[in-house]
Structure formats: structure tokens, C-alpha cells
């Protein structure tokens, strides 16, 4: 029975990954979820699994060396899936330091503790041990609107404090691979969407605002392009890289689904109109009239687009969910989880929203 140490498992992608793994492997795996529960971590995301004998939650900070070492000492960890991070670009522009602390120092602590637990006297590692560092396409910088793509060989050129901190963490992982022959893979994925995504990110923010008849803030000219991937497809990619990824390799994961932000907003509005039942009062105001162009994000990357050729040819991964289906599933999930949205948007979220959007011309 393999034991997975998942960091940041109470966040958006981490919780979807844990659900995916239990759906796929049931009682044949063990999962330890280590998460400090920042504003983005939510144990409500994991209610359905918390009673399982093969699931354990540990509340700890990845920068806390003692706490992380203890988890390794008390458990025979086979696979680390390292999601824990500060993940929102706009927050990184306001407050960069916590991004360096969590994303860089936290990754250094995770690497140190895993190496200390796994490395044998002769400098090799037992069969089956692997550290998978979950990273982002943002490390590659910004593309022109010219049909080019990010490959694993594209030089790093991060622009935001968030992407710079993720790039630094990737380089630390690469240094462990080169220096200690550390058994790791890095995955660089494009924009995810799906259930449990915190409404600071574009898609859940637009769904939530539209359903309340609030303005839909579109940065700049709305023509920045992102490459959207349904979160389960990302989870599947991670599982496949854990199994089949060659030691030390990086794999880009992306959906071949480039869309301008304004297209995304329009698709959400059209899909909401289709899905809201006849007679629902929200049908009267869910419309393009809510769209409001606001001041652009500082240093806003123009376009991201992943070439997932390597993961397809080497590992056999391909995205399964068409955007039209994924967005319907996502909206259906938000319809069924109004209480979840109420909980995550109470209190601190209102303050965040006011700071970020009020007076944004
Ligand atoms: P998220 O912000 O939803 O979740 C992050 C989780 O990490 C939360 O549960 C939080 O409590 C936890 N965490 C934060 N700081 C911690 C600390 N110091 N110690 C322990 N736990 C801590 O993020 P997400 O969108 O699920 O992203 C997960 C990972 O995937 C990140 O590394 C991110 O860079 C990467 N990624 C995200 C996307 C995307 O579109 N969301 C795309 C590619 C890669
Ligand atoms: O590319 C992968 C990255 O995708 C991940 O590494 C990050 O963790 C994740 O947050 C995401 O980053 P983005 O900055 O691309 O995602 P976000 O949802 O914040 O914004 C998507 C696009 O929408 C971006 O061009 C900015 C724009 N936007 C965003 C918000 C929140 C708006 O126009 N209005 C908004 O209110």
C-alpha cells in the first residue's frame, strides 16, 4: 500500500486530487494531507473523505521543519505531491513576501525533509520513492499572440512575484535532482478550473458575481489569453507522472484550450442563462450588461499556451474534458454548493474584495 504525502490538500487542486485518488484507488492507498489552512485551505472541501481509515489530516506549515520531519519520521512516505503554495497573482502583487516564504522556503523544507528521510548511505534512494513538485506555466513568462507555445525547454522568464517564487521553487527542485540525484518530477500546468476553486480566481469569481447581479471585473482590454484545463484532467496527469514520469524530468500539462478572458466571461454568462431554470429571478439580470472593464493587472502576462507533446508521447496523457462540458459541470457544482460559496465569501473575503476591486477604475 503506497503512502502519499499531499501538501496543500485542502486547497482547490489538492482537494480535487485527493478525491480523484480515492475514487480511483479506494482503500488501496493511504493519503496524508499536510496543510496549514490559509484563507485558501478549507476542510469543507474534504468532508466526504475525512472519515476514511486511509486518510489523515495534519495541520502544519510547510516552512516548519520540525513538523514536516515528524510526518516523515512517523510514516513511511512513498510519494510526495507538493501543491502547498500561495497561488494568486493579484495577492502576490500586493504582498510578495509571503510568496517567497511559502513557495521558496516551504519547498526547500519539503525537499530537505524528504531527502533526509529517503536517501541511503550510498547516496541512492529506495525504489518507488518520488517527489512531485506541482508548478505552473507562468514560470515561462508571457507569449505573443503568434501561435507559439511553452515547451519544457522554454527558458524561465517569470514576471509576477508569484511566478518568480514558483520559478525559484522549480529551480530548487532541479538543483536537488542534479546535486543529490533526488527522485523528483516537476509538472508545469496551465490554468485549472472546476469544483472547490476559491472565488478570487477568474472563473468562480465571475460565476459568483453574475449570480448575485454584481459587476464582472475584466482587467485591461479582456484579451489576455489563458489555456484552461478541467481540474480532474490535471489530477489524472499528476497520477500518471507519479507512475510513469522518468526520474528528474519536467512535464508540461495543458488543455490545448486557449481563450481570451472576455470569451470566458461571455461563455459563463451564456451557460448560466441556459442552466438557470425558467422562472428563476436571476435570469433577469445575468447578462453582458454586468461586464465592467477595470484597470489592468500590473505586469499582466498577455498569453499562456502549453504544448503538452511530451506528456502525451511519453506518458500517454491527454485532456479529456472539453471546455463546454467542463464549464457546465463547474457551474452545476456551484449551483449545488451555494452554502460552500456563502462560507468562503463571508468575513475576510469581503475585505479582500473591497481592497482589490473598490475604486479600481
Ligand atoms: P490554492 O491556493 O487553492 O491552495 C493552496 C493550499 O496550500 C491551501 O490549502 C493552503 O492552505 C495551503 N498552504 C498555503 N501555504 C501553506 C503553508 N505554508 N503550509 C502548508 N499549507 C499551505 O492553490 P491551487 O490553485 O490549488 O494550486 C495548488 C498548486 O498548483 C500551487 O502550487 C500552484 O502554484 C499550482 N498550480 C495552480 C494552477 C491553478 O490554475 N490554480 C495551475 C498550475 C499550477
Ligand atoms: O497559469 C497557471 C496559473 O493560473 C496558476 O499558476 C495560478 O495559481 C492561478 O491563479 C492562475 O493564474 P492567473 O493569473 O492566470 O489566474 P486568474 O484566475 O487570477 O486570472 C485569469 C485571467 O483573468 C488573467 O488574465 C487575469 C484575468 N482576471 C482575473 C480576475 C481575478 C480578470 O480579468 N478579472 C478578475 O477579476
Amino acid at each position: 500500500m503506497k503512502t502519499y504525502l499531499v501538501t496543500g490538500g485542502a486547497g482547490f487542486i489538492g482537494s480535487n486530487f485527493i478525491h480523484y485518488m480515492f475514487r480511483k484507488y479506494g482503500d488501496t492507498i493511504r493519503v496524508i494531507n499536510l496543510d496549514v489552512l490559509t484563507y485558501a485551505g478549507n476542510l469543507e472541501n474534504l468532508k466526504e473523505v475525512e472519515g476514511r481509515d486511509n486518510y489523515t489530516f495534519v495541520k502544519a506549515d510547510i516552512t516548519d521543519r520540525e513538523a514536516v520531519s515528524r510526518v516523515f519520521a512517523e510514516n513511511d512516505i512513498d510519494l510526495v505531491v507538493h501543491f502547498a503554495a500561495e497561488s494568486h497573482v493579484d495577492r502576490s502583487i500586493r504582498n510578495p513576501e509571503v510568496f517567497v516564504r511559502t513557495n521558496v522556503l516551504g519547498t526547500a523544507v519539503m525537499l530537505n525533509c524528504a531527502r533526509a528521510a529517503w536517501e541511503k548511505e550510498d547516496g541512492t534512494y529506495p525504489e518507488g520513492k518520488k517527489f512531485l513538485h506541482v508548478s505552473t506555466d507562468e514560470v515561462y513568462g508571457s507569449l505573443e499572440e503568434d501561435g507559439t507555445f511553452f515547451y519544457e525547454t522554454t527558458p524561465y522568464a517569470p514576471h509576477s512575484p508569484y511566478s518568480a517564487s514558483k520559478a525559484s521553487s522549480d529551480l530548487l527542485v532541479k538543483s536537488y535532482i542534479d546535486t543529490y540525484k533526488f527522485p523528483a518530477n516537476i509538472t508545469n500546468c496551465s490554468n485549472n478550473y472546476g469544483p472547490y476553486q476559491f472565488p478570487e480566481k477568474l472563473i468562480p469569481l465571475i460565476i459568483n458575481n453574475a449570480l448575485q447581479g454584481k459587476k464582472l471585473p475584466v482587467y485591461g482590454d479582456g484579451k489576455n489569453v489563458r489555456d484552461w484545463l478541467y481540474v480532474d484532467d490535471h489530477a489524472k496527469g499528476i497520477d500518471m507522472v507519479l507512475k510513469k514520469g522518468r526520474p528528474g524530468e519536467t512535464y508540461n500539462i495543458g488543455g490545448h484550450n486557449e481563450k481570451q478572458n472576455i470569451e470566458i466571461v461571455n461563455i459563463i454568462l451564456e451557460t448560466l442563462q441556459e442552466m438557470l431554470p425558467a422562472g428563476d429571478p436571476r435570469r433577469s439580470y445575468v447578462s453582458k450588461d454586468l461586464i465592467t472593464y477595470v484597470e489592468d493587472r500590473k505586469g499582466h502576462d498577455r498569453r499562456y499556451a502549453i504544448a503538452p507533446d511530451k506528456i502525451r508521447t511519453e506518458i500517454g496523457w491527454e485532456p479529456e474534458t472539453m471546455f463546454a462540458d467542463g464549464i457546465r459541470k463547474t457551474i452545476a457544482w456551484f449551483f449545488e454548493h451555494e452554502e460552500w460559496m456563502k462560507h468562503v465569501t463571508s468575513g475576510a473575503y469581503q475585505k479582500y474584495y473591497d481592497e482589490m476591486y473598490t475604486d479600481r477604475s
Side-chain angles (χ1 to χ4, degrees):
M1 193 187 223
K2 294 270 188 211
T3 298
Y4 293 74
L5 173 59
V6 176
T7 70
F12 162 49
I13 307 178
S15 58
N16 276 287
F17 176 74
I18 292 173
H19 287 299
Y20 176 89
M21 294 299 278
F22 281 134
R23 277 200 306 275
K24 180 152 183 202
Y25 299 106
D27 293 335
T28 66
I29 58 167
R30 215 179 134 225
V31 174
I32 300 167
N33 172 17
L34 185 150
D35 196 305
V36 77
L37 302 180
T38 65
Y39 77 92
N42 183 357
L43 290 181
E44 239 182 291
N45 299 0
L46 293 157
K47 257 201 212 131
E48 291 144 43
V49 305
E50 67 188 10
R52 298 185 76 102
D53 291 339
N54 55 343
Y55 170 77
T56 310
F57 174 67
V58 178
K59 185 170 189 301
D61 193 317
I62 53 166
T63 64
D64 180 348
R65 176 167 237 290
E66 233 171 80
V68 177
S69 308
R70 206 175 314 124
V71 172
F72 277 96
E74 290 172 359
N75 301 278
D76 182 12
I77 305 290
D78 296 296
L79 299 150
V80 175
V81 190
H82 178 37
F83 292 100
E86 289 291 335
S87 71
H88 190 38
V89 174
D90 292 327
R91 287 185 195 256
S92 83
I93 294 166
R94 293 241 157 177
N95 181 16
E97 281 182 21
V98 67
F99 283 73
V100 177
R101 186 182 141 74
T102 297
N103 299 359
V104 186
L105 179 62
T107 300
V109 170
M110 290 305 303
L111 289 166
N112 266 325
C113 292
R115 178 176 164 236
W118 291 346
E119 195 180 38
K120 297 195 280 191
E121 274 182 16
D122 63 0
T124 64
Y125 297 81
E127 192 66 33
K129 304 288 186 197
K130 185 178 273 192
F131 187 107
L132 192 148
H133 177 61
V134 180
S135 193
T136 169
D137 59 359
E138 299 200 13
V139 299
Y140 298 121
S142 182
L143 293 166
E144 300 297 321
E145 287 149 17
D146 60 357
T148 51
F149 293 99
F150 294 138
Y151 289 89
E152 289 78 0
T153 49
T154 303
Y156 276 28
H159 295 128
S160 72
Y162 162 69
S163 53
S165 68
K166 290 297 289 188
S168 308
S169 67
D170 290 13
L171 294 179
L172 272 174
V173 178
K174 286 174 197 268
S175 80
Y176 268 61
I177 293 166
D178 292 345
T179 308
Y180 307 114
K181 306 287 168 257
F182 185 69
N185 286 127
I186 299 173
T187 52
N188 293 93
C189 189
S190 62
N191 286 61
N192 285 216
Y193 68 99
Y196 303 112
Q197 189 167 28
F198 192 79
E200 64 188 351
K201 307 284 165 62
L202 181 70
I203 287 183
L205 186 145
I206 296 296
I207 295 172
N208 185 43
N209 280 19
L211 288 173
Q212 293 182 56
K214 285 195 191 159
K215 289 179 178 169
L216 309 179
V218 175
Y219 298 167
D221 65 1
K223 292 186 177 160
N224 298 65
V225 172
R226 297 292 182 266
D227 179 0
W228 295 94
L229 182 71
Y230 191 63
V231 64
D232 272 358
D233 284 339
H234 188 187
K236 185 181 76 167
I238 290 171
D239 179 36
M240 291 176 81
V241 172
L242 283 166
K243 289 228 163 71
K244 299 187 191 168
R246 283 185 295 129
E249 291 294 315
T250 290
Y251 296 91
N252 283 354
I253 307 182
H256 266 315
N257 180 47
E258 287 182 54
K259 297 219 182 301
Q260 292 182 339
N261 294 334
I262 190 65
E263 286 181 76
I264 293 286
V265 173
N266 284 326
I267 291 170
I268 291 173
L269 289 169
E270 284 153 20
T271 314
L272 282 172
Q273 275 292 350
E274 276 167 40
M275 291 177 71
L276 281 167
D280 189 307
R282 292 171 293 186
R283 289 181 75 100
S284 64
Y285 58 72
V286 171
S287 82
K288 291 185 185 177
D289 295 342
L290 296 174
I291 294 173
T292 312
Y293 287 90
V294 299
E295 186 188 335
D296 208 354
R297 175 184 278 174
K298 288 185 173 62
H300 198 176
D301 287 335
R302 191 63 177 169
R303 173 174 166 255
Y304 302 145
I306 283 276
D309 303 17
K310 180 173 171 184
I311 191 169
R312 190 185 62 241
T313 50
E314 271 192 22
I315 292 187
W317 176 88
E318 280 196 273
E320 279 174 21
T321 313
M322 299 296 291
F323 189 74
D325 299 331
I327 200 70
R328 288 186 79 86
K329 279 206 258 185
T330 303
I331 290 173
W333 188 89
F334 280 108
F335 280 168
E336 285 157 18
H337 293 80
E338 283 180 7
E339 282 302 307
W340 181 94
M341 186 58 94
K342 271 190 202 144
H343 294 165
V344 303
T345 52
S346 62
Y349 179 81
Q350 288 309 326
K351 189 168 174 282
Y352 165 81
Y353 197 88
D354 289 345
E355 277 174 17
M356 210 54 97
Y357 293 97
T358 307
D359 299 333
R360 190 170 186 152
S361 55

